[in-house]
Amino acid sequence: MNENQSNNGALVRVENVEKIFHRGSEDIHVLADLHLQVPAGEFLALMGPSGSGKSTLLNLIGGLDRPTRGLVTVAGERLDQLSDHRLAAWRARHVGFVFQLYNLMPVLTAERNVELPLLLTHLSKAERMKHVDAALAVVGLSHRAKHYPRTLSGGEQQRVGIARGIVTDPTLLLCDEPTGDLDRKAGNEILDLLQALNREHGKTIIMVTHDPHASARATRTVYLDKGQLSNEPVK
Amino acid sequence: MAGPINWFSQIVSITKFGLLSIPQRRGAVVATVIGIAGVVTVLVGVLSIAAGFRQAMTVSGSPDGAIVLRSGADSEMVSGFGRDETRVIADAPGVARTAQGPLASAELFVIINLPKRSTGTDANVPLRGVEPAALLVRDNLKIIQGRMFDWGKDEVIVGRGAAREFAGLEVGSKIKVGRYEWPVAGIFSAGGGVAESEIWTDAKVLQDAYNRGDSFQSVSVRLNSPGAFQQFKDSLTSNPQLNVKVVRQSEYYIEQSETITRLITTLGFLIAFLMAIGAVFGALNTMYSAVAARTREIATLRALGFGSSAVVVSLMLESLLLALVGGVIGGGQAYFAFNNFHTSTMNWQSFSQIAFAFKVTPELLVRGIVWSALIGLIGGLFPAIRAARLPIAAALREL
């Protein structure tokens, strides 16, 4: 919790957040009184053992879940004050997601998958395709635009996933174990890409990982254990 | 950002993904479509019996035709008049006339047994004794084979429905009437109406054969115009010599068809309703499995910002579309299998067989489609709500 960034400069502010899951009569405390600030332009790695609450924290920041207590503020917007409907619209505008299992639509080509978040905007078809082409070029997959996910390698699928994540030029890119399902070589390519997005395009990225190779690419790493954050790995 | 146009495009997109993924779950989809098609086929098929029966009865009545029965009689079977009464009726104001006299036919109605072609078992067939005006009193009466019977001779003509349904009614063959055997002189059509189920002969000949003296059971008349009915009715009901019931032909036949129409309709709805319950479960199963198979996909779309209401509407739309395909197939099956299928059934009011054809009317097809749509919507609702309520965070990781 040794946050160095001032509250005012942080893009993401997580304050006093507690998250309790209920399983039958049992309460599972996943996050307890957690604080985190992420300044704009940071590439933050979130590490910790399985079940430590990494993905839960990422979901709270991405507006996919709500904290039991505490506040999550992103770019000045308090997520707890948004209805489910407005939260969905907020996600569409501000957050790009990259998933461990890519989560591509199998019935759509690469470019149609990338186009998906743009269907929620008022862009014309031509404008959408311009954005799609640009995003596919950034991830180096322009030549595979018409391919279906099943004909792409894991690394290529993840690149399509990243292109989908950045196509709306979101405020924040949230990656949940983006290399977790890839071999070392493909994983490195993805990490190169994320690093380039952060360095060259100024994207703020929060990446959940349990892989030290991956976290080494981030500008900062925080560790989560038993619902608490620290700047040092848990022994 | 999320205006109505945007919401609509979300629905179109999600529905499209669902439809594109149908080949991956075609077994369940085909079973559902067949199930719904079955419901619609049965519903439309059974109701087409009632529609056909009703149509046969209603085309029988012309707007300027009226029938007179004894007061309190529901049908000709329980009615009766003497010769004098029938004359008073024929001469009443409002009855159309020709050079030969009033267009009124005093008639006699008896039932004879004939074997059905389909089963070989005996069934009640109406034998009507008519007067010469009978041919003019009814619409569309035509001899289509052979000739008219000769008045005063032991001969009959046979309605084409009766000729089709019962054995031994070909031109030239003989039918047994009481102790006599009467030859069939011709076959007639009556625009598909109830007369086509009957056998006709000269009323006087029939009176003699059945020892009815000079009595009749009903008088059918043609009026000057449909508007002359009230005048005709009033003059008869206010006449102290008579004790009669006067109804328009059209109303009489609708009344005659009511019992059987109601029976078939109720039965049809009952069978279709029970089948529909089964089909709803089929649709539920298909859509639940669709949601289960697409849990991660739906969660991903929602993570990207697609709204939960768009998910609900899309899944219901998908279910509706599948159901409508079933409905159209079912309607088509019913049409090709049942439309104009000829049969006969007992008319409980006259205790005699009525030959008629099933009628798959546009209205029935629409009704079948509406049923299929309802099955689809009910079958899609709960799975759609489940999909919308999926916790996104957990569902994103489903395999």
Side-chain angles (χ1 to χ4, degrees), chain B residues 288-302:
Chain B
Y288 270 128
S289 63
V291 170
R294 293 164 60 202
T295 297
R296 192 151 63 95
E297 201 177 299
I298 290 166
T300 304
L301 289 170
R302 294 200 48 214

Side-chain angles (χ1 to χ4, degrees), chain B residues 105 131-139 141 143 148 151 157 200:
Chain B
S105 166
E131 293 188 317
L135 299 167
L136 302 169
V137 164
R138 289 171 180 81
D139 280 335
L141 212 103
I143 301 290
M148 180 62 186
W151 298 98
I157 53 170
W200 282 14

Side-chain angles (χ1 to χ4, degrees), chain B residues 91-166:
Chain B
D91 289 334
V95 177
R97 303 183 79 87
T98 64
Q100 282 76 44
L103 291 186
S105 166
E107 299 179 354
L108 206 61
F109 184 90
V110 301
I111 284 169
I112 61 172
N113 282 326
L114 286 173
K116 276 185 136 184
R117 277 186 200 278
S118 55
T119 58
T121 52
D122 275 359
N124 292 345
V125 183
L127 172 59
R128 183 180 292 278
V130 299
E131 293 188 317
L135 299 167
L136 302 169
V137 164
R138 289 171 180 81
D139 280 335
N140 301 319
L141 212 103
K142 268 195 305 227
I143 301 290
I144 54 171
Q145 206 187 329
R147 58 170 175 82
M148 180 62 186
F149 61 76
D150 288 333
W151 298 98
K153 267 178 122 178
D154 293 348
E155 282 182 346
V156 298
I157 53 170
V158 174
R160 69 173 166 190
R164 192 168 44 228
E165 288 298 318
F166 304 101

Side-chain angles (χ1 to χ4, degrees), chain B residues 364-376:
Chain B
L364 285 186
L365 289 173
V366 169
R367 195 178 287 184
I369 301 282
V370 169
W371 271 59
S372 69
L374 285 176
I375 292 169

Side-chain angles (χ1 to χ4, degrees), chain A residues 1 15-20 29-35 52 69 224-229:
Chain A
M1 248 164 307
E15 299 169 85
N16 304 99
V17 159
E18 182 174 295
K19 181 67 184 174
I20 302 170
H29 293 257
V30 180
L31 303 175
D33 194 27
L34 188 138
H35 292 261
S52 60
R69 206 163 294 128
L224 190 60
D225 189 41
K226 296 189 177 109
Q228 296 283 332
L229 279 178

